[in-house]
Amino acid sequence: MLEGVVTTFQAIRRQRCPKCREGPIFRAPLWRGFLAMHERCPVCGLKFEREPGYFLGAMYFSYLLSILPGLAIVLAIWRVTGWPFDVVMGCAFVAYLPLVPAVTRWARVLWMYVDRHFDP
């Protein structure tokens, strides 16, 4: 690999612009600015939210990113406690809440990369 060239995977992992792979998508770290996004890439000027409701597609990625951790939490609580299933589901819901900001961010990043791939 050429030195200085950022791969798509590296850019996604670092939450960088899908066009130039250099500009940050979010203004602040996760716990200081949950979804505080730049309107445009500070480096290349790409508009991140193409149209109203653009990030509705990120909902599908959010769902995909939530299945395995959610299932793991449910199974762990159920195995450890032996509580009834409805109680386990309620507890798993509460236990999963701290992960929601991170999942939402990653879902938006993945959505932008997939959308840009198919509709540059």
Side-chain angles (χ1 to χ4, degrees):
M1 181 172 84
L2 297 173
E3 191 172 315
V5 176
V6 178
T7 66
T8 301
F9 179 75
Q10 289 170 329
I12 289 171
R13 186 176 51 82
R14 292 174 43 213
Q15 298 180 347
R16 301 296 185 195
C17 171
K19 183 178 178 184
C20 68
R21 298 181 184 167
E22 293 178 25
I25 294 172
F26 297 98
R27 294 180 186 273
L30 178 64
W31 301 113
R32 282 195 343 197
F34 168 46
L35 280 179
M37 293 180 65
H38 293 284
E39 184 177 326
R40 295 184 175 275
C41 175
V43 176
C44 70
L46 175 71
K47 186 174 182 180
F48 291 136
E49 188 171 359
R50 290 182 168 193
E51 59 191 57
Y54 174 71
F55 289 110
L56 188 63
M59 175 180 61
Y60 298 104
F61 284 99
S62 178
Y63 177 70
L64 288 172
L65 292 171
S66 297
I67 290 173
L68 288 178
L71 181 62
I73 291 170
V74 167
L75 293 175
I77 292 172
W78 202 5
R79 177 141 173 106
V80 170
T81 64
W83 292 338
F85 187 71
D86 57 339
V87 175
V88 169
M89 290 302 289
C91 291
F93 173 78
V94 172
Y96 185 75
L97 285 177
L99 299 176
V100 170
V103 168
T104 303
R105 271 189 165 205
W106 287 108
R108 284 188 173 202
V109 171
L110 291 171
W111 171 248
M112 285 193 294
Y113 272 82
V114 168
D115 181 59
R116 179 122 179 104
H117 175 77
F118 289 108
D119 187 15

